Amino acid sequence: MGGGGGSYFYGNPEPERLIESVRSAEQSAADQEFTSYVCAFLADALAQFNSRDVEGTQEILAKVKQELSDEFEDTVGLVFGGSVAKHTYVDGLSDVDALVILKETIIEEDSPSKLVTLFADKLRAHFGRNEEIVKEGRLAVTLNIDGKLIQLLPALRSGEFFKIASSDGQTWATINPRKFADKLTSVNQTLDGKLVPVIKLVKSINGTLPEQRQLKGYHIESMAINVFKGYVGPRNTKDMLRYFFDKAPEQCRKPIKDSTGQSVHVDEYLGEANSTQRLILADALGRIGRRLANADGARSLDEWRSVVGLE
């Protein structure tokens, strides 16, 4: 008699399904709670990144314009084309902050190699000749005022576009920085404004890597646009950051075309497809992706802090 009751429960799958459903609901609730914790931490990290004195930087850029305009008869304009304009700046990890458009008659048409030196000399005349104040690079000049480092890229107007010295200084490169900024803005809008915060976090993580394994900021931004093209996953910083590092190794292995026209590819510094350097960086990005996956598996906020570089 009693066996009939036992047989009923043993053969009925409903209790097992109910238990599994409860466990699944508990797991989902725990995952959502952990996601909330991580997103709150990432929001705090982003607040730190956004604490840069943008207003002070704008004042310095205005001062540069004023000083140079006096000499060049109002022919200098500042067109923001770097991470300040794209809102992807991370303190200490920025790309060029602004293009400085110079009067074309100040330099010979066939002398692109002299553009950066001429611009650096003009800055030195106004702000000081100490190399710590004005530092000349291959393409840009870094200006250090009151502890703020601002990278300025001298350029000449070329119709609707601009031209800068090529990386070897031998020829001119025609660029269209607004095209890329508009593209980044468009993708960011389709993702409810979450792409730019994710890029900032990627740049922070990138900055924790050894210098020889770091990606350039413009490369990161271009990769992010490709990675999140058609993205349909959860729109929060935690899940999107994991998604980026899941897809980034594949993106790193092959060149990405430069939409601004500054170069053929945004990642020329890594060589041809599947070069040794590309494979090394792809491995580094893959390791980060696995660390984030493990952090989620263990629900370890401390590991997330470690990966982002804010232990």
Side-chain angles (χ1 to χ4, degrees):
M1 293 184 295
S7 174
Y8 170 80
F9 284 110
Y10 179 82
N12 187 349
E14 291 304 319
E16 295 179 4
R17 290 178 182 175
L18 180 61
I19 292 172
E20 182 62 29
S21 177
V22 170
R23 287 176 179 170
S24 178
E26 290 175 344
Q27 177 77 21
S28 178
D31 288 343
Q32 290 178 14
E33 183 178 27
F34 181 68
T35 293
S36 297
Y37 287 145
V38 174
C39 286
F41 152 67
L42 295 176
D44 288 341
L46 287 164
Q48 295 181 42
F49 301 157
N50 294 333
S51 65
R52 183 195 191 204
D53 184 6
V54 175
E55 183 177 345
T57 300
Q58 302 283 16
E59 290 176 358
I60 293 175
L61 291 173
K63 187 173 182 180
V64 171
K65 179 177 179 179
Q66 178 183 358
E67 294 290 343
L68 296 183
S69 292
D70 290 343
E71 185 166 352
F72 296 139
E73 301 176 358
D74 291 329
T75 57
V76 177
L78 294 179
V79 180
F80 298 107
S83 50
V84 170
K86 298 189 290 281
H87 308 293
T88 57
Y89 180 91
V90 175
D91 191 21
L93 305 174
S94 71
D95 297 317
V96 172
D97 288 306
L99 298 180
V100 178
I101 313 306
L102 306 177
K103 189 175 181 180
E104 192 154 5
T105 56
I106 71 170
I107 186 168
E108 298 293 335
E109 178 69 22
D110 59 350
S111 303
S113 61
K114 297 179 181 177
L115 181 63
V116 176
T117 298
L118 182 145
F119 179 55
D121 286 343
K122 298 300 182 183
L123 289 175
R124 292 186 184 105
H126 289 284
F127 298 102
R129 299 193 173 277
N130 190 321
E131 188 175 342
E132 293 183 0
I133 298 176
V134 179
K135 186 174 182 179
E136 182 179 340
R138 286 194 306 168
L139 297 177
V141 178
T142 301
L143 181 63
N144 184 349
I145 296 181
D146 299 329
K148 291 185 177 64
L149 297 177
I150 302 177
Q151 296 186 53
L152 304 172
L153 179 65
L156 304 178
R157 191 175 297 279
S158 179
E160 297 181 358
F161 306 113
F162 307 98
K163 59 183 181 181
I164 63 173
S166 61
S167 58
D168 61 7
Q170 300 304 308
T171 59
W172 293 105
T174 301
I175 64 172
N176 181 11
R178 178 51 56 191
K179 180 179 180 181
F180 180 77
D182 288 346
K183 186 175 183 181
L184 181 62
T185 298
S186 175
V187 177
N188 187 52
Q189 289 174 344
T190 64
L191 293 172
D192 301 330
K194 293 297 192 299
L195 180 61
V196 165
V198 169
I199 289 174
K200 290 182 179 182
L201 292 165
V202 171
K203 287 185 176 182
S204 175
I205 295 172
N206 182 63
T208 67
L209 299 174
E211 187 173 352
Q212 66 273 21
R213 295 197 176 190
Q214 291 183 14
L215 301 173
K216 292 184 178 180
Y218 180 35
H219 186 189
I220 289 173
E221 293 167 2
S222 299
M223 286 176 64
I225 289 176
N226 285 354
V227 164
F228 288 102
K229 193 178 298 181
Y231 176 75
V232 294
R235 295 185 179 182
N236 64 67
T237 49
K238 170 183 168 293
D239 290 314
M240 290 178 67
L241 197 59
R242 273 199 59 183
Y243 187 83
F244 176 88
F245 283 105
D246 283 345
K247 301 298 181 181
E250 179 184 353
Q251 288 287 325
C252 186
R253 292 188 183 99
K254 54 188 178 182
I256 299 175
K257 187 175 180 181
D258 188 350
S259 62
T260 69
Q262 181 175 339
S263 58
V264 177
H265 297 108
V266 303
D267 49 359
E268 286 184 342
Y269 67 103
L270 298 181
E272 61 185 13
N274 293 315
S275 66
T276 300
Q277 184 62 14
R278 286 184 182 278
L279 295 179
I280 290 173
L281 291 180
D283 179 68
L285 294 170
R287 288 175 184 271
I288 293 170
R290 290 190 291 276
R291 286 185 65 189
L292 292 179
N294 291 337
D296 271 2
R299 296 200 186 98
S300 173
L301 185 58
D302 287 341
E303 182 62 12
W304 267 91
R305 290 180 181 275
S306 176
V307 174
V308 176
L310 295 174
E311 293 181 277

